[in-house]
Amino acid sequence: MPVRATAPGFLIQHSSWHATVAVMPVLLITGPHQSGKSRRLWELLRAEPPGSAVLVRPEPGFPHELARQVHAWSGPGLMPPVLSLGEFVERCAAGAAIARRPLPLATAAHLLRPWCERNLAATPWHGLSGFRATATELADACLRLDDHRITDDDLALAGTNARQRGDGIAAAHAHTLARARAALRAPGRATAGERLRELADSGTGSPWASIYLDDFISLTPAELELLRSLSHHRLVATAIDDHRLGPGSPSERLLAAFPGAERERLERVHPRSPHASATRTFLAHALDHDRRLDGDGVSRYRYRDPVHAGRAIAAWLRRAGQPPNQATVYVRVCDGEALALADALAAAGVPVHGEFQIPIVSTPAGGLLRALGAWCADGTWESLLAVCARLGIAGVADGVAPLRLEDLLMPWARLPAAEALERLARVQRDGELDAWGWSEPDRSRPRLRTLVAWMGAWHARLRPVNVKKGAESSWAASLLRLVESLSLGGEIAALVRRLADLDALAAAGPRELDDLLGATRVEVRRGGHDDATRCLLIVDAVRGRSWTRPLAIIHGLEHGRWPRAKSSGTLLPPDARAALASGLPRDCFDEAGREAGEIASLLAVAARARDRLLIGIPCGEREPSAWLATLAEQLGWDLEQERSAAEPEAAPGAPLGPDDSQGEHERALWIGPVGIPLFTFTVPACWPQRLHPAELNAVFSDGFAIVCDRLALGSPWNDLSVMSAGTELHALLARLVEHPPERWTAALEPLLGEWLAAAEDELDRAQRDRACDAIRDAISTEAGEIPGATSLAEVKLTIPLEIPGLGRMELTGRIDRLDRLREGPVRVVDYKRGAGTYYRPALAARTEGQLLAYCLGLQAVGEVVDAAYYLGLRDGVRPGYLSLLRGGKPRAGQVPMSELDACRDRLVAAIARFAAGEVAADRLGASAMRGYAPIARLDEARLDDGGDASADPANALDDGKGET
């Protein structure tokens, strides 16, 4: 049979294009960003015979930007098939006759939820067994074990090792994970890791002779094992090879999986790349701690929130004369915050194009589905009114309600809908119950008559689906038939079908619907496809890396992780993960690999800029990321000064410069971002036996934080590295007071040297080094004010409080520093590593508790307190309580000692309310500051703000193509 030679290593038969393997090498194309890896891969790929090769990318689809780039590289011609890794796996699974359906995270959590309630009571996680998030996180851990090919024997060995070293909690965790994993065995279902292992073990090859992989920044061990099983095909893969990524880089993983692979190393930025010299220098040296960068190609803007960032970017573009169509904004993820940024840019006159994924719960479709679920669950008058109101908002009803339905809610809210309709009909017919409050000038009540007919028609249309003759219908089945009878398509129909799938595995209820609504994202577009070439693009850091533009804008580094925020666990916080990983062959949470992938994404996005890079600097009290701090040091920016100097201009509505006018169309936007869901938590009623002074501020404003701490849920919002550095700093300052105040300045230097030497890495050391100047200034000021004083550190104190209705309560705490002045009074100092200005609002509102408790405890033992204040080591600000015996007036953030009694009364009243469970947390949106997002899923009643979203036509139901 005639054959022809193709790429080195294999022969292709003309008649069937069937690959006959001779020698199938694995080629790894490695190098830094913009070194031409993709260009080289496409050069080899375009040389393959038609139909013999496939390109596999992380994301589905073949972006038209990439197609244009390929044509620019190698000219016109046929393109090979381009698949995502998931699509490629499904094609191979179909060829291997693997019929088991994948088990996604939501389904696994649904299977584990009843198991958690029954089986976690005797484990270290018993306090969390009833939360919805528990099953989700446990399922995620089990799926990770399968992805990393960790067997039950590995888990058993990890438990044995933990038990032998005396770590009973880690042993219990390993045992519980093994039992939970066994509970996930569902007929006809398999986890992604199991399916990959089954596919790898089947020996079935790919439909294509050559497999090309491009743009991957991470691959799980199960995916690497599948690629190893396909090594009899020709494999060509690109991988980032950069010393800045550290351990776990993509090139290291691929080289470990294919030790005999041929490697083509590209050393530097490709000579034909369009980058200017300044951006080339940045790509070569960014994040190298010992390098200095030329700032010619890098600029910055300051912002506080997405709304303000939109105005700041718009102002910078106008001042720089940069056309919007030459710029791209890269964000961590295209979610609701990115949508708020896009709207702010559009309001400032910048044409924007972007596709955003927002929670369906904040759309009319999500609100309607939740209302339908409640109606099927209880059939009350309140549920019927909610459904009817949502039908009008979502545009499903033939007309909106004749009147405000909210006015009809009380006092019949919990009555069966049929009974409430009868009562309403009596009011309309003969005036009975007219004292109920109906007001209509015409005594024949035409509006009420229209409303009764409208409500009755909808009740008749909704009621038959609740009952199935001859059998008892489940809640999920009733909801499915109701959605079908109303002909609701799009996301609603897709979500209800998924809910029916869950119900077939285990009985589903409203909380499963809540989980689906919380996890499902729908697509919202800003800007049309026709004018996209004239717009500023907003894309995320993963899917937007297709081509370069003159200006790249990096927005959202304040979270410290990029492109995704670090996932923290309530069941397995970092210390528990480390204990578990120490006995396993692989760390299933893989922090090193995730860190390497995120740094690679950051550098890849920076590489999108041909001429200039624009970096956003977050203002306010948020801690900036170590990467941003390193870049600022290399570029010669004083990051702390940048953030503090931006305070006036970062306020919503303030002008940013002469070219940034604030028009009428913008003013309504700066009231604040609208449409961001908030969560409200009610604290369980309990007598807090173990309150500490440090928790008393939260008693006033955020009682839910104390409850989470009792359940060991503190880790999701606590940055452990920052807390560790703060603990080390407190210990250092405690050693300082062994010297008299006159010697503090000299004694501080060697202690700061120890603190710097204890940093975990170069990034941490750079951040600590920048903080040292502020610490020196603060301590120098302190030493000058108390000459001759005697100071003590870590002074233990008991504070007695009489709580109304509950009796005596004693709090025990430790004062960071207690100064005994020459005159005899004492002064209380509590160190804060952050800014002291953070505590000014609480003191101004008389809702501060920690310093107040220290003052009350000292007064109880006969001490005279001269002052008590927080010392902000970042800014030297000292808000607190001050004696006015020496004259003077209290400044911002200072409370006279004469008000201690009134402040004490407020404190004991707040503790009493907390003990009674009357404290609602997050009433003012504190989740944005406290970072409740990782545990917001733990609540039992999520808020829905879909009503506000209804005014935006982009939030309406689409044609069902949105992702669910």
Side-chain angles (χ1 to χ4, degrees):
M1 180 174 294
V3 297
R4 71 175 179 184
T6 60
F10 59 88
L11 301 175
I12 298 294
Q13 297 179 358
H14 275 290
S15 61
S16 62
W17 298 109
H18 174 72
T20 302
V21 179
V23 178
M24 292 298 174
V26 176
L27 174 62
L28 300 182
I29 306 172
T30 64
H33 288 289
Q34 294 302 317
S35 57
K37 299 183 298 298
S38 295
R39 182 195 296 260
R40 175 59 178 156
L41 177 136
W42 275 97
E43 179 183 333
L44 298 174
L45 182 57
R46 295 293 293 273
E48 296 279 358
S52 65
V54 62
L55 174 64
V56 181
R57 303 180 71 246
E59 296 291 328
F62 188 15
H64 59 277
E65 296 93 348
L66 179 58
R68 285 200 297 265
Q69 188 70 65
V70 171
H71 282 300
W73 286 337
S74 53
L78 293 176
M79 292 291 180
V82 180
L83 304 177
S84 68
L85 182 59
E87 294 168 338
F88 176 75
V89 169
E90 291 303 323
R91 298 281 188 97
C92 295
I98 295 177
R100 289 202 293 172
R101 297 172 59 190
L103 184 71
L105 178 61
T107 304
H110 173 63
L111 288 173
L112 280 182
R113 185 171 291 116
W115 184 91
C116 290
E117 296 174 353
R118 294 191 306 267
N119 293 276
L120 291 185
T123 70
W125 297 325
H126 62 87
L128 301 171
S129 58
F131 285 114
R132 286 202 301 256
T134 301
T136 301
E137 192 175 344
L138 197 58
D140 177 67
C142 293
L143 297 182
R144 286 176 179 270
L145 293 174
D146 286 343
D147 286 340
H148 286 71
R149 307 202 69 169
I150 296 173
T151 65
D152 292 337
D153 291 338
D154 295 329
L155 276 176
L157 180 60
T160 301
N161 293 339
R163 195 174 297 106
Q164 289 176 351
R165 64 174 181 262
D167 191 346
I169 293 180
H173 285 170
H175 178 65
T176 305
L177 280 173
R179 294 170 57 213
R181 195 179 190 183
L184 283 181
R185 310 301 183 208
R189 301 269 185 162
T191 66
E194 288 176 337
R195 296 180 80 245
L196 289 171
R197 183 173 63 251
E198 186 176 354
L199 181 57
D201 295 341
S202 68
T204 302
S206 161
W208 296 274
S210 300
I211 304 167
Y212 286 71
L213 295 96
D214 190 26
D215 212 19
F216 283 90
I217 61 174
S218 64
L219 287 166
T220 67
E223 292 166 346
L224 285 172
E225 191 64 29
L226 173 63
L227 294 179
R228 284 173 59 90
S229 72
L230 298 174
S231 60
H232 57 282
H233 296 267
R234 174 175 167 80
L235 295 179
V236 180
T238 61
I240 302 164
D241 186 6
D242 194 316
H243 68 92
R244 292 169 290 183
L245 306 188
S249 66
S251 60
E252 286 187 358
R253 293 172 182 266
L254 284 168
L255 286 170
F258 303 101
E262 180 186 350
R263 186 181 183 189
E264 185 174 336
R265 177 78 162 87
L266 307 176
E267 298 294 338
R268 60 187 61 86
V269 177
H270 195 276
R272 290 171 57 191
S273 72
H275 295 77
S277 58
T279 53
R280 284 173 177 265
T281 303
F282 182 89
L283 293 179
H285 303 311
L287 302 183
D288 285 346
H289 180 68
D290 56 347
R291 298 275 189 172
R292 300 295 295 179
L293 289 175
D294 184 358
D296 289 344
V298 186
S299 301
R300 60 196 181 275
Y301 67 94
R302 298 178 287 255
Y303 69 96
R304 180 183 295 276
D305 50 41
V307 173
H308 177 262
R311 298 187 65 243
I313 293 173
W316 189 94
L317 293 174
R318 286 196 288 271
R319 289 194 293 265
Q322 185 82 46
N325 65 341
Q326 295 184 2
T328 301
V329 180
Y330 295 93
V331 295
R332 289 190 311 116
V333 59
C334 280
D335 56 2
E337 284 197 3
L339 179 61
L341 173 66
D343 289 339
L345 281 163
V350 177
V352 176
H353 176 73
E355 297 178 357
F356 308 92
Q357 302 291 328
I358 65 170
I360 190 177
V361 72
S362 62
T363 66
L368 173 58
L369 184 52
R370 171 172 286 173
L372 291 172
W375 164 248
C376 290
D378 55 30
T380 61
W381 177 242
E382 180 181 24
S383 301
L384 179 61
L385 290 178
V387 171
C388 291
R390 289 292 180 182
L391 288 169
I393 291 174
V396 177
D398 296 332
V400 297
L403 300 168
R404 277 173 46 91
L405 298 181
E406 293 85 351
D407 297 338
L408 304 175
L409 183 60
M410 296 300 291
W412 304 337
R414 304 309 299 170
L415 287 178
E419 181 179 345
L421 272 174
E422 291 178 2
R423 296 191 181 194
L424 191 63
R426 286 201 300 272
V427 172
Q428 181 267 324
R429 185 176 59 251
D430 50 25
E432 185 181 347
L433 299 176
D434 198 31
W436 166 64
W438 185 263
S439 176
E440 191 170 349
D442 189 341
R443 299 304 295 176
S444 64
R445 300 179 177 82
R447 288 191 300 161
L448 182 56
R449 183 169 60 251
T450 303
L451 176 67
V452 170
W454 191 84
M455 291 291 299
W458 272 111
H459 179 254
R461 186 174 177 182
L462 296 172
R463 183 177 55 183
V465 300
N466 287 325
V467 180
K468 184 178 181 181
K469 292 184 179 180
E472 191 166 325
S473 177
S474 70
W475 169 84
S478 297
L479 181 58
L480 177 60
R481 290 198 304 275
L482 178 58
V483 169
E484 291 174 347
S485 69
L486 294 175
S487 300
L488 300 179
E491 295 88 358
I492 291 183
L495 279 174
V496 174
R497 284 194 298 270
R498 185 181 298 180
L499 192 63
D501 291 341
L502 295 180
D503 190 57
L505 294 172
R511 60 182 178 180
E512 277 76 20
L513 177 60
D514 278 352
D515 286 345
L516 289 178
L517 287 172
T520 301
R521 300 293 185 267
V522 293
E523 190 172 90
V524 174
R525 294 181 178 87
R526 286 292 182 265
H529 289 283
D530 295 338
D531 60 355
T533 56
R534 299 190 295 106
C535 296
L536 179 145
L537 290 179
I538 297 183
V539 296
D540 65 56
V542 174
R543 294 181 295 178
R545 301 200 306 265
S546 295
W547 64 334
T548 59
R549 277 191 170 194
L551 174 66
I553 305 172
I554 296 181
H555 174 76
L557 280 179
E558 69 272 18
H559 299 282
R561 295 281 172 154
W562 222 70
R564 298 286 191 271
K566 180 180 179 181
S567 58
S568 297
T570 54
L571 297 179
L572 288 170
D575 53 348
R577 294 180 184 182
L580 180 64
S582 64
L584 294 174
R586 285 177 293 273
D587 179 8
C588 62
F589 293 96
D590 199 13
E591 295 293 343
R594 176 161 42 200
E595 183 81 4
E598 288 167 351
I599 297 177
S601 294
L602 172 63
L603 295 176
V605 167
R608 300 303 104 186
R610 294 203 303 261
D611 297 332
R612 179 167 290 275
L613 186 69
L614 182 62
I615 298 176
I617 296 181
C619 304
E621 297 302 328
R622 292 173 294 183
E623 192 73 20
S625 74
W627 301 337
L628 180 57
T630 302
L631 289 177
E633 182 182 13
Q634 290 177 289
L635 293 165
W637 302 343
D638 188 336
L639 189 57
E640 297 301 322
Q641 184 177 356
E642 288 281 342
R643 298 174 73 228
S644 60
E647 289 286 341
E649 70 177 28
L656 295 178
D659 299 319
D660 179 37
S661 61
Q662 183 181 357
E664 290 293 336
H665 66 287
E666 296 181 83
R667 293 184 180 176
L669 189 63
W670 312 132
I671 299 172
V674 179
I676 298 177
L678 300 179
F679 299 93
T680 299
F681 307 96
T682 301
V683 178
C686 63
W687 170 234
Q689 298 288 349
R690 296 185 294 109
L691 275 179
H692 304 292
E695 296 175 316
L696 294 180
N697 294 341
V699 168
F700 279 105
S701 62
D702 200 359
F704 186 67
I706 302 175
V707 176
C708 291
D709 184 64
R710 296 292 186 270
L711 295 174
L713 297 178
S715 58
W717 67 76
N718 290 331
D719 187 332
L720 298 182
S721 61
V722 173
M723 293 180 64
S724 175
T727 302
E728 294 172 7
L729 185 58
H730 274 63
L732 176 151
L733 295 176
R735 292 166 54 191
L736 182 68
V737 302
E738 299 172 0
H739 306 273
E742 293 80 4
R743 296 194 60 247
W744 281 1
T745 303
L748 182 62
E749 290 306 317
L751 297 177
L752 288 177
E754 293 181 21
W755 188 53
L756 289 174
E760 293 183 357
D761 51 37
E762 291 296 327
L763 297 179
D764 187 25
R765 185 175 295 106
Q767 198 166 4
R768 293 189 183 195
D769 188 33
R770 281 186 295 274
C772 285
D773 289 340
I775 295 172
R776 293 186 186 98
D777 293 341
I779 295 301
S780 176
T781 302
E782 290 283 294
E785 288 191 358
I786 53 172
T790 303
S791 299
L792 297 174
E794 299 295 327
V795 179
K796 190 173 182 179
L797 183 67
T798 300
I799 303 103
L801 292 175
E802 293 292 332
I803 309 301
L806 296 173
R808 185 182 179 86
M809 178 183 186
E810 290 189 350
L811 284 68
T812 302
R814 291 183 183 272
I815 301 174
D816 287 348
R817 195 184 89 213
L818 185 67
D819 302 327
R820 174 76 65 181
L821 306 181
R822 286 178 175 177
E823 299 84 356
V826 295
R827 176 175 291 192
V828 177
V829 180
D830 190 80
Y831 299 118
K832 297 299 180 185
R833 190 187 175 201
T837 52
Y838 176 80
Y839 297 91
R840 281 178 174 174
L843 285 156
R846 306 303 191 263
T847 57
E848 190 280 333
Q850 183 177 1
L851 292 177
L852 174 62
Y854 292 153
C855 294
L856 297 175
L858 290 169
Q859 288 182 348
V861 296
E863 294 285 357
V864 177
V865 183
D866 175 75
Y869 53 82
Y870 297 108
L871 176 57
L873 296 175
R874 176 185 295 173
D875 56 5
V877 174
R878 301 185 296 181
Y881 300 88
L882 179 69
S883 172
L884 300 181
L885 297 178
R886 304 178 186 180
K889 295 182 179 180
R891 291 175 293 180
Q894 293 182 337
V895 179
M897 284 286 182
S898 58
E899 297 188 21
L900 282 187
D901 290 341
C903 293
R904 179 196 58 208
D905 294 340
R906 293 172 66 93
L907 175 63
V908 297
I911 295 175
R913 289 195 304 271
F914 172 73
E918 299 175 2
V919 180
D922 198 25
R923 288 171 295 180
L924 301 178
S927 63
M929 295 179 292
R930 290 300 303 271
Y932 277 141
I935 58 168
R937 58 197 183 196
L938 297 180
D939 69 306
E940 294 302 326
R942 302 186 181 193
L943 294 183
D944 173 25
D945 63 341
D948 293 334
S950 62
D952 188 351
N955 285 335
L957 283 175
D958 61 14
D959 57 0
K961 296 180 180 179
E963 180 182 348
T964 55

